[in-house]
Amino acid sequence: MLIELENVGYSYGGGELLSDVSVSLAPGSFHFLTGPSGAGKTTLLKLCYGALLPTAGRVQVFDRDMGALDRDDLAMLRRRVGVVHQDCRFLDHLPLSENIALPLVVSGRGQRAEDDNLKELMSWVGLSSRAEALPPELSGGERQRAALARAVIMSPDVVLADEPTGNVDWDMSQRLLHLLVELNRMGKTVLIATHDLSLIRAAKSQVQARVLRISNKGLQLAGADL
Amino acid sequence: MSNGTIRGLLLSDKQADRVVPPTGFTAQLTVFVAGAMAFMAVFALALSLASGRLADRWSQELAKAATLRINAPAEQRAAQTETALKLLRQTPGVAKARALSPEEQAALLSPWFGPDLPIDALPVPQLVEVTAGEPGYDIAGLRLRLSAEVPGAVLDDHTRWREPLVDAANGLRRLGLIAILLIGGATAAMITLAANAALAANAQVIEVLRLVGAKDGYIAGAFVRRFTLRTLIGAAVGVVFGMIGVMLLPAASDEGGFLTGLGFRGIGWGLPLLIPVLGAGVAFAATWAAARRRLKELS
Ligand SMILES: Nc1ncnc2c1ncn2[C@@H]1O[C@H](COP(=O)(O)OP(=O)(O)OP(=O)(O)O)[C@@H](O)[C@H]1O
Ligand SMILES: [Mg+2]
């Protein structure tokens, strides 16, 4: 299993937000994570890339216990997990193209070697003309597309996307979804957190997706009611 | 921290340096403070080297010389002097013992009594110059034997007036060294503050870098390189000005005594060149420690 949660509980200090959550993501699988606002979708994703550690249970990523990783191990692990953050944070002093290439730069792979890759990716998310723009000059949708490009530039084994289509129009959301489906066809595992049910419905015709719903602190498999 | 990490941290990495935004004002302040500290360190070093030289010279030169004074009635003086000289020559550790001639004694007194002093007519004690060898003689033992055989002899080894001078020079040297240590400590404290400010100002940047898979060493390196380089440059400029200042001091002369001896001699001129290197080392360690502390607080 690429990502495995065993009886995971999490609390920010007050009452438990998540409790007894068990789920595993097999290599090449495609998942949606849904639930009302404040249910803990972002929290669950953070547990999956080690931004948070569970207060109960165990999270394993690539068969390694997240609680047992040291800081360098965690950095190495994050290079194999592409994350689209809900708040899309960038380095505001660097142009967009360098922000998208940032994972390559910090992992020491350098930017030049993958220049073609970078250009292709930027045109894929429709940002070719914005390569030199600084992040604060971008619209919300442009930021989201850039965040997705940054998440996949390392060609990670897993892509965790938190509301990747929250700020884009329908056409663009379909393009982004298609990009994620494409990655899944290449064998990557994809988990998309969203409360946009139309996106989930649109995906069903393209990919075999499992829909997980957070309700009552737990995780349930959502059925045909979508 | 292995050698490899240190090299990795210092090796210039243009992209890593771009990733952390430049901090103009902190940078200029760091360079300025490093320069000022280095400038002061040059003077503290000059002071401490000069007083060290003085202390060594006084304690060595004067420790070898002693004076034996023979107070005896005129008719016994020659005999007692003879006995004393014989005794001194037999004493292990005495390199040389020589009775001053009447002319030499007159010359010693002439500043006070004028040149035409009838020295033979005066009850002036006979002086014997005693020079110690290496190792020296046992002063207490010598005094004991002298008192037994030459009743009128008084041995003065100059300790009385030498010691306070040597103490003062040694004290000055210690102060100079303490000042250098304090300058080093103040530099470390200042760099720590500046580095902490830079790290805090860049908390968002650091968080983004962590999220995209940057290791702590990579992030710390960007800061460590900056502060090390700034300190090196600032301290180098400060040392150059400090050395020019020391060079412009008047040359050593006997009349000027201690004050004109303030400066560097020979390879001593190489010592201030260590200041920027040590400063850079201090900056490296301080920034590294600050970054390590700070980064641990982030996930
Ligand atoms: N750092 C934090 N400290 C304390 N409480 C937090 C923190 N982060 C989130 N929470 C709380 O935990 C709950 C779940 O937050 P989370 O962001 O996981 O929800 P979500 O399902 O992603 O919501 P949305 O759909 O609005 O993004 C919320 O009630 C939120 O207020
Ligand atoms: Mg959320």
Side-chain angles (χ1 to χ4, degrees):
Chain A
M1 287 298 143
L2 281 187
I3 297 184
E4 192 160 17
L5 278 67
E6 283 172 58
N7 310 109
V8 166
Y10 190 80
S11 115
Y12 279 106
E16 258 197 339
L17 177 65
L18 297 170
S19 127
D20 208 18
V21 171
S22 295
V23 68
S24 49
L25 309 190
S29 58
F30 199 108
H31 299 258
F32 282 101
L33 177 64
T34 182
S37 178
K41 299 184 292 295
T42 300
T43 305
L44 193 71
L45 290 190
K46 283 183 175 170
L47 290 166
C48 293
Y49 62 85
L52 298 173
L53 289 176
T55 46
R58 195 157 75 124
V59 177
Q60 288 196 84
V61 180
F62 305 127
D63 295 319
R64 300 194 61 180
D65 188 343
M66 295 298 267
L69 295 183
D70 68 21
R71 294 178 59 80
D72 279 356
D73 288 338
L74 186 59
M76 294 304 285
L77 184 136
R78 282 179 180 165
R79 296 174 187 180
R80 298 173 61 193
V81 181
V83 182
V84 180
H85 305 273
Q86 191 168 12
D87 51 0
C88 312
R89 268 172 302 167
F90 297 99
L91 299 184
D92 289 345
H93 65 287
L94 291 183
L96 194 58
S97 57
E98 287 188 49
N99 263 291
I100 292 175
L102 196 59
L104 294 172
V105 171
V106 302
S107 66
R109 285 218 233 146
Q111 185 178 340
R112 195 141 305 145
E114 337 278 313
D115 252 357
D116 287 346
N117 201 351
L118 180 64
K119 284 216 183 77
E120 196 181 326
L121 195 56
M122 290 194 65
S123 82
W124 232 111
V125 293
L127 287 174
S128 297
S129 60
R130 307 292 280 147
E132 293 310 310
L134 294 176
E137 303 164 1
L138 300 176
S139 74
E142 285 171 329
R143 290 170 72 87
Q144 254 172 350
R145 288 182 269 157
L148 181 58
R150 187 180 68 184
V152 301
I153 193 151
M154 292 281 279
S155 185
D157 299 318
V158 191
V159 179
L160 306 175
D162 199 352
E163 301 287 1
T165 59
N167 284 316
V168 298
D169 60 29
W170 176 252
D171 282 347
M172 184 49 75
S173 80
Q174 291 312 296
R175 261 172 84 176
L176 296 184
L177 177 65
H178 193 71
L179 177 61
L180 288 163
V181 169
E182 197 80 341
L183 286 166
N184 179 245
R185 293 211 175 109
M186 290 160 63
K188 318 285 184 197
T189 305
V190 177
L191 174 61
I192 302 174
T194 182
H195 50 239
D196 183 0
L197 297 185
S198 59
L199 185 73
I200 301 177
R201 283 190 210 105
K204 286 213 153 170
S205 60
Q206 304 175 38
V207 68
Q208 180 127 33
R210 219 163 40 134
V211 181
L212 306 164
R213 183 178 2 222
I214 302 180
S215 72
N216 282 332
K217 303 177 190 173
L219 203 57
Q220 286 149 12
L221 208 56
D225 54 320
L226 284 165
Chain B
M1 197 168 28
S2 74
N3 266 340
T5 354
I6 295 179
R7 198 165 339 113
L9 279 175
L10 285 179
L11 228 62
S12 117
D13 179 340
K14 286 227 178 64
Q15 274 179 328
D17 292 339
R18 261 177 74 70
V19 157
V20 177
T23 46
F25 193 53
T26 326
Q28 286 155 23
L29 278 183
T30 313
V31 172
F32 170 74
V33 175
M37 292 290 183
F39 188 82
M40 291 191 284
V42 171
F43 286 102
L45 190 63
L47 175 74
S48 135
L49 286 178
S51 43
R53 273 197 303 269
L54 212 59
D56 288 348
R57 206 177 70 212
W58 280 340
S59 54
Q60 272 170 24
E61 283 180 8
L62 299 176
K64 287 198 169 154
T67 312
L68 186 66
R69 209 164 61 236
I70 297 168
N71 297 307
E75 63 277 11
Q76 289 173 31
R77 203 183 293 160
Q80 285 203 14
T81 305
E82 209 39 55
T83 321
L85 283 173
K86 207 159 82 198
L87 193 151
L88 283 168
R89 280 175 194 134
Q90 286 162 2
T91 307
V94 172
K96 215 172 109 196
R98 184 179 69 89
L100 265 59
S101 67
E103 292 76 32
E104 282 173 310
Q105 302 222 77
L108 283 176
L109 289 173
S110 66
W112 282 274
F113 296 105
D116 304 320
L117 193 68
I119 196 152
D120 299 332
L122 291 171
V124 175
Q126 171 67 48
L127 298 181
V128 177
E129 188 184 274
V130 183
T131 309
E134 205 63 59
Y137 50 87
D138 166 23
I139 289 186
L142 182 59
R143 282 218 173 93
L144 219 60
R145 288 174 61 198
L146 281 168
S147 67
E149 297 188 32
V150 192
V154 177
L155 182 66
D156 178 4
D157 66 349
H158 305 169
T159 317
R160 242 176 322 111
W161 60 274
R162 190 184 75 218
E163 269 178 353
L165 281 178
V166 174
D167 280 353
N170 274 328
L172 220 49
R173 161 158 61 180
R174 259 197 310 278
L175 278 183
L177 289 175
I178 290 173
I180 290 173
L181 287 181
L182 287 177
I183 287 170
T187 307
M190 189 278 303
I191 300 279
T192 303
L193 288 176
N196 271 330
L199 287 159
N202 287 300
Q204 301 266 6
V205 170
I206 293 172
E207 212 177 323
V208 172
L209 291 175
R210 279 296 299 177
L211 286 174
V212 298
K215 291 188 184 180
D216 282 354
Y218 179 89
I219 301 169
F223 289 93
V224 167
R225 265 193 303 280
R226 272 182 201 197
F227 280 98
T228 306
L229 194 67
R230 285 171 195 164
T231 309
L232 188 67
I233 291 171
V237 173
V239 163
V240 167
F241 278 102
M243 285 173 80
I244 290 173
V246 170
M247 257 187 254
L248 292 181
L249 289 174
S253 68
D254 281 344
E255 298 78 45
F258 170 69
L259 274 178
T260 54
L262 203 60
F264 299 103
R265 299 264 166 82
I267 56 162
W269 281 104
L271 280 179
L273 301 181
L274 290 178
I275 291 173
V277 178
L278 290 177
V282 166
F284 178 94
T287 315
W288 175 251
R292 272 270 120 133
R293 240 189 344 263
R294 195 92 201 183
L295 287 168
K296 282 230 174 69
E297 293 163 8
L298 301 167
S299 61

